[in-house]
Amino acid sequence: ENFNTTYEIPILDPAINGDRAISNNNFDAGFLYRWDNFYFSANANNLISKDTDEFTGGIEPRLLLNYQLYSGYVYTPKHNKYVEFEPSVFFQFFDSDNRSATDINFKYRKFNRDGDYYWIGASYRFLNDQFFNPLNLGPMAGILHNKLYFAYSYQLTFNDLSGFNSGTHVITIGLNLLQSASNCPCTKGSSQSYYRL
């Protein structure tokens, strides 16, 4: 509402008046369950329907609710305690139009004697009614050294959007602070433990 007239625009549009700012608050709910090297999580995102702007004429989506399930297993070979394999699956369902997509992921993690590690992996995303027609495919890699974490992933797009972008880059940088050995039995002997024997 604070527009000023200029030499090029001497008269303001009378339809532009008042503060049209809209604040939309929402919340998510979820839980994570871990047992030994198996984990499972379920989440519901955007539980409240969105207040839409009446001036957009129905362009804005109102139903943003979506459900997410994520599960995986960390496997450590008996002959090599410094290696882990981690297959996982991520499922997402959109309540507004009943679309759903699944990611199939795989990670290989290698530790050194100090507990630092590097990992490499790949992810394959598809719509659930089009398994052999991928939406995205991408490599991933990461490293943890002296409490500093760095990871990179690239998602190559295969659907119709591929003509408009060359893919998505994701960079993750982290720093592990205030860590100590976990007292939770479910973290023993996996990458979730801070000290390895």
Side-chain angles (χ1 to χ4, degrees):
E1 74 274 20
N2 297 322
F3 290 114
N4 295 317
T5 57
T6 63
Y7 180 78
E8 293 83 10
I9 308 175
I11 301 174
L12 294 178
D13 186 342
I16 301 175
N17 57 61
D19 187 353
R20 296 184 183 174
I22 293 178
S23 176
N24 284 291
N25 299 309
N26 219 315
F27 69 94
D28 308 335
F31 74 92
L32 169 66
Y33 173 78
R34 293 197 47 208
W35 181 72
D36 199 19
N37 291 329
F38 170 79
Y39 56 89
F40 173 81
S41 71
N43 300 285
N45 299 335
N46 302 310
L47 291 170
I48 302 174
S49 296
K50 182 179 179 182
D51 293 330
T52 56
D53 187 346
E54 60 185 272
F55 296 101
T56 59
I59 298 174
E60 248 185 307
R62 183 174 175 272
L63 299 174
L64 302 177
L65 177 63
N66 66 84
Y67 303 96
Q68 300 170 354
L69 301 175
Y70 181 57
S71 184
Y73 183 80
V74 179
Y75 171 73
T76 304
K78 292 182 179 179
H79 64 278
N80 189 347
K81 63 183 177 181
Y82 295 107
V83 170
E84 290 181 349
F85 301 98
E86 185 177 349
S88 62
V89 62
F90 173 76
F91 172 81
Q92 189 169 23
F93 176 81
F94 295 90
D95 191 53
S96 58
D97 55 7
N98 294 328
R99 287 178 300 128
S100 62
T102 299
D103 292 18
I104 297 175
N105 315 294
F106 184 80
K107 281 184 183 180
Y108 166 82
R109 188 180 295 109
K110 177 79 164 77
F111 290 86
N112 66 17
R113 295 185 184 275
D114 298 323
D116 295 339
Y117 62 84
Y118 71 86
W119 63 269
I120 57 173
S123 178
Y124 177 83
R125 175 176 292 175
F126 58 92
L127 294 176
N128 288 321
D129 58 349
Q130 302 174 20
F131 178 78
F132 293 107
N133 188 15
L135 291 176
N136 304 100
L137 180 65
M140 305 177 288
I143 186 169
L144 174 71
H145 181 68
N146 290 335
K147 297 186 178 181
L148 180 64
Y149 180 81
F150 177 83
Y152 170 78
S153 65
Y154 177 73
Q155 207 173 52
L156 183 61
T157 303
F158 285 97
N159 60 12
D160 292 341
L161 294 177
S162 61
F164 303 97
N165 70 48
S166 59
T168 303
H169 302 270
V170 177
I171 295 174
T172 304
I173 300 173
L175 181 63
N176 291 338
L177 299 172
L178 305 174
Q179 286 192 337
S180 62
S182 173
N183 292 326
C184 180
C186 65
T187 64
K188 304 303 181 190
S190 73
S191 62
Q192 305 301 322
S193 57
Y194 299 121
Y195 301 104
R196 296 173 63 84
L197 301 175

